[in-house]
């Protein structure tokens, strides 16, 4: 990436990252630039909407920004996943009576107030008496009375207006549908071809869903499991082992679970991901009112703040930046909330309330030592030299009190860790000796605003250099302040 001093950005001043969704309100290069300057660290491309040509233009604009600001930016391509929907109605809509009967069947004829087609044969014969069907984001709630290969007779626990092609959620059963549709396969191939850094997999129910996606990715990009199904919650440990990161997709979780079940589940997912040192994103409705309003509600501010206090790696904006009237303001306010929380004297204690004891490895022991040294000695940053990003993830897992300057020769690694808590990635040439490591670490700290004359800094790396998984060296250095001048700038 070319250096561009005139467009140099100062470090964010916070450790949690902001992931913003691109859409009609934010897809122009001008607005993308405004959002990035306001605080966005990663952009989400929602493959549920838009054509590939439009997404390619968005990705190209983001990559141009990387060159302009000399800062790696993560691109998160979010796959749609399978969507269960009812068929069509004679008049485009119908009214289901409260406590009345309603049938979902395989008849393609337009529906009425008594029945409608459910064009998903895999659901027939699967559902059992007492299980629930939720329609239109849970606004209509049906309970199964009887189900066979052709009909599902239900009682309307909550009735209401139903219209063409409304979505169906089945919270009480594991649905024998793969997480990847044909559209998802095309979108995944496109995302890989475009060099997406993260792939978000929707409708995850089982670890096998992730295995299929990873095989199709062919070693490119990192895989994020979106936790939005109760079945995924039940197999959370297995799913976390199979993915590179996880998203708490509270929108769909809030439909399929009781509302009061979602907050403790959010904390559970965040904690489990942190224990494994895998990035965790909290998403959906964080500043929902800012789709139309220039200011959030106090409850929304508290919601964002709580995710930051929990130690989430990233917080996400959806429609707020994709289709809202105030995209730049939403990013600015989210940034301000995060900065304020991280200034709180109790912040570190709250984040570290979760105990993350190091594994019995040299790399984990040294990563843990970085945290304790930073707590004991006044240091300005932890400089991590990494090829794959694994050392950076280990250090971030400990939630140290100072930022982490991640130096890597890999574009892919730098962009991937742009979603990692506390990480400031910089692409630089590889190193070949201990002396070169120390000298380069000092120069990068000065160049990127992570130290000044007299500042102490921790350097963490592995010898021999360039060998993955060899982290075995920790060194504390003091900046003279003239390293850049002596090196020629």
């Amino acid at each position: 990436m070319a250096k561009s001093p005139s467009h140099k950005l100062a470090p964010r001043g916070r450790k949690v990252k902001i992931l913003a969704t691109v859409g009609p309100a934010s897809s122009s290069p001008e607005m993308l630039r405004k959002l990035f300057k306001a605080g966005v660290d990663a952009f989400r491309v929602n493959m549920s909407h838009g054509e590939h040509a439009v997404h390619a233009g968005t990705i190209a604009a983001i990559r141009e920004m990387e060159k302009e600001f000399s800062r790696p930016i993560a691109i998160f391509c979010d796959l749609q996943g399978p969507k269960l929907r009812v068929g069509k109605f004679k008049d485009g809509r119908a009214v289901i009576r409260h406590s009345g009967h309603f049938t979902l069947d395989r008849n393609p004829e337009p529906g009425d107030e008594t029945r409608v087609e459910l064009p998903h044969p895999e659901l027939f014969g699967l559902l059992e008496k007492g299980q629930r069907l939720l329609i239109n984001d849970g606004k209509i709630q049906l309970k199964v009375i009887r189900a066979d290969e052709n009909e599902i007779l239900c009682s309307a626990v909550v009735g209401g207006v139903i219209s063409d092609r409304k979505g169906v959620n089945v919270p009480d059963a594991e649905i024998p549908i793969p997480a990847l549709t044909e559209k998802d396969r095309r979108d995944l191939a496109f995302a890989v071809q475009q060099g997406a850094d993260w792939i978000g997999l929707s409708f995850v129910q089982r670890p096998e869903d992730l295995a299929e996606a990873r095989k199709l990715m062919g070693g490119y990009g990192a895989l994020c499991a979106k936790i939005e199904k109760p079945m995924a919650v039940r197999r959370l440990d297995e799913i976390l082992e199979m993915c590179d990161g996880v998203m708490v997709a509270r929108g769909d979780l809030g439909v399929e679970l009781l509302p009061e079940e979602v907050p403790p589940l959010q904390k559970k997912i965040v904690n489990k991901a942190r224990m494994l040192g895998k990035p965790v994103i909290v998403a959906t409705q964080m500043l929902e009112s800012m789709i139309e309003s220039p200011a959030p509600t106090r409850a929304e501010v508290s919601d964002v703040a709580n995710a930051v206090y929990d130690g989430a790696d990233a917080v996400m904006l959806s429609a707020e930046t994709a289709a809202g009237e105030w995209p730049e303001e939403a990013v600015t306010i989210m940034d301000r909330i995060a900065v304020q929380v991280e200034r709180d004297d109790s912040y570190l204690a709250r984040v570290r309330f979760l105990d993350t004891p190091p594994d019995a490895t040299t790399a984990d022991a040294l990563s843990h030592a970085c945290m304790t040294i930073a707590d004991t000695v006044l240091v300005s940053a932890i400089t991590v030299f990494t090829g794959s990003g694994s050392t950076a993830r280990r250090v971030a897992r400990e939630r140290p009190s100072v930022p982490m300057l991640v130096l890597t020769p890999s574009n892919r690694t730098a962009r991937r860790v742009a979603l990692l808590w506390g990480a400031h990635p910089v692409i630089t040439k590889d190193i070949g000796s201990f002396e070169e490591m120390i000298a380069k670490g000092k120069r990068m700290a000065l160049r990127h605003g992570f130290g000044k004359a007299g500042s102490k800094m921790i350097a963490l790396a592995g010898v021999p250099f360039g060998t993955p998984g060899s982290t075995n060296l920790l060194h504390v250095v003091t900046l003279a302040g003239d390293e850049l001048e002596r090196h020629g700038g």
Side-chain angles (χ1 to χ4, degrees):
M1 294 182 187
K3 296 289 184 291
S4 181
S6 61
H7 293 138
K8 186 175 179 181
L9 280 179
R12 293 295 190 199
R14 56 174 158 77
K15 298 182 179 71
V16 70
K17 301 304 179 74
I18 295 177
L19 172 62
T21 304
V22 181
S26 54
S27 58
S28 71
E30 295 77 21
M31 182 54 76
L32 289 171
R33 194 173 185 276
K34 287 180 180 179
L35 298 187
F36 179 67
K37 292 183 73 174
V40 172
D41 302 287
F43 287 96
R44 172 176 172 254
V45 178
N46 187 356
M47 304 305 293
S48 299
H49 308 287
E51 302 297 324
H52 283 179
V54 174
H55 295 323
T58 296
I59 292 169
I62 294 169
R63 294 305 186 213
E64 283 301 311
M65 267 197 315
E66 282 187 320
K67 297 174 185 176
E68 178 184 356
F69 292 101
S70 298
R71 183 164 308 173
I73 304 171
I75 293 176
F76 186 108
C77 283
D78 198 338
L79 304 180
Q80 176 177 290
K83 297 294 181 185
L84 304 178
R85 299 185 186 278
V86 298
K88 294 186 176 183
F89 291 85
K90 291 175 184 175
D91 299 319
R93 64 200 292 273
V95 177
I96 300 177
R97 291 183 300 106
H98 293 293
S99 302
H101 285 182
F102 190 78
T103 301
L104 300 156
D105 58 35
R106 302 177 69 170
N107 179 1
E109 293 295 318
D112 55 28
E113 67 276 3
T114 64
R115 59 153 296 274
V116 74
E117 180 193 13
L118 183 62
H120 300 285
E122 56 277 351
L123 293 179
F124 293 88
L126 170 72
L127 297 178
E128 299 176 356
K129 182 179 178 180
Q131 291 184 327
R132 294 169 296 158
L133 287 164
L134 308 175
I135 300 175
N136 193 14
D137 291 334
K139 294 181 176 67
I140 293 174
Q141 299 179 25
L142 307 178
K143 182 173 285 189
V144 176
I145 297 173
R146 183 184 70 252
D148 58 32
E149 295 295 332
N150 295 302
E151 290 186 346
I152 303 170
L153 175 64
C154 301
S155 171
V157 179
V158 179
V161 177
I162 182 172
S163 54
D164 293 348
R165 306 287 297 155
K166 285 300 180 184
V168 179
N169 291 79
V170 187
D172 302 327
E174 181 174 319
I175 306 169
I177 300 176
L180 290 164
T181 65
E182 286 305 312
K183 169 179 163 53
D184 293 326
R185 290 170 181 269
R186 293 192 300 271
D187 289 342
L188 178 54
F190 165 82
V192 168
Q193 184 266 327
Q194 289 287 318
D197 309 298
W198 285 87
I199 302 294
L201 186 63
S202 302
F203 209 86
V204 174
Q205 298 185 96
R206 54 189 83 84
E208 292 80 10
D209 295 331
L210 295 155
E212 182 185 8
R214 193 176 292 284
K215 181 179 179 181
L216 292 172
M217 288 165 68
Y220 292 93
L223 183 58
C224 179
K226 295 171 63 182
I227 306 301
E228 52 193 356
K229 306 288 292 178
M231 293 301 152
V233 175
R234 294 175 194 176
R235 302 187 68 177
L236 184 60
D237 290 341
E238 297 169 84
I239 287 169
L240 283 170
E241 288 292 340
M242 290 289 293
C243 66
D244 301 303
V246 65
M247 178 187 291
V248 188
R250 305 182 306 177
D252 284 289
L253 276 176
V255 172
E256 301 207 1
L257 297 172
L258 295 172
E260 64 271 21
E261 292 178 311
V262 176
L265 181 57
Q266 172 179 316
K267 292 182 183 295
K268 176 182 177 180
I269 297 169
V270 169
N271 287 350
K272 283 183 173 289
R274 284 188 53 195
M275 287 295 291
L276 294 172
K278 297 187 177 185
V280 55
I281 304 161
V282 175
T284 321
Q285 296 180 334
M286 301 215 79
L287 297 176
E288 183 85 355
S289 68
M290 290 195 73
I291 295 171
E292 298 176 349
S293 169
T297 67
R298 300 300 179 266
E300 289 167 342
V301 172
S302 292
D303 182 38
V304 174
N306 278 323
V308 179
Y309 276 121
D310 286 343
D313 289 80
V315 284
M316 191 179 101
L317 293 165
S318 300
E320 299 96 330
T321 51
E325 297 178 19
W326 308 92
E328 186 179 359
E329 289 78 4
V331 174
T332 300
I333 286 174
M334 184 169 268
D335 176 76
R336 282 166 42 195
I337 296 167
V339 169
Q340 188 68 31
V341 167
E342 292 184 12
R343 286 177 181 164
D344 182 356
D345 291 340
S346 69
Y347 169 68
L348 265 185
R350 288 173 179 266
V351 165
R352 293 184 189 164
F353 184 76
L354 175 72
D355 187 26
T356 53
D359 295 336
T361 65
T362 301
D364 259 39
L366 291 177
S367 299
H368 184 74
C370 285
M371 179 194 73
T372 57
I373 292 170
D375 286 347
T376 308
V377 180
L378 186 61
V379 298
S380 60
I382 300 168
T383 302
V384 176
F385 294 82
T386 182
S388 66
S390 63
T391 305
R393 290 191 295 276
R394 284 190 176 96
V395 175
R397 176 177 177 263
E398 302 295 332
R399 297 301 191 250
S401 58
V402 297
M404 177 171 51
L405 182 60
V406 181
L407 304 182
T408 178
S410 167
N411 278 353
R412 289 166 59 182
T413 296
R415 290 165 175 162
R416 178 171 166 175
V417 302
L419 260 181
L420 186 64
W421 189 94
H424 181 96
V426 173
I427 299 168
T428 184
K429 293 179 181 177
D430 210 349
I431 50 176
S433 68
F434 176 80
E435 292 77 13
E436 186 182 354
M437 177 192 81
I438 297 303
K440 176 162 284 188
K442 288 181 175 182
R443 294 197 304 273
M444 293 299 105
L446 290 169
R447 181 173 292 154
H448 293 274
F450 286 92
K452 57 186 180 181
S455 296
K456 283 186 169 60
M457 184 180 72
I458 300 170
L460 185 66
V463 178
F465 297 106
T467 304
S470 65
T471 305
N472 58 7
L473 186 152
L474 186 154
H475 197 66
V476 180
V477 299
T478 302
L479 301 178
D482 62 350
E483 286 86 354
L484 286 173
E485 290 81 358
R486 284 192 277 121
H487 190 258

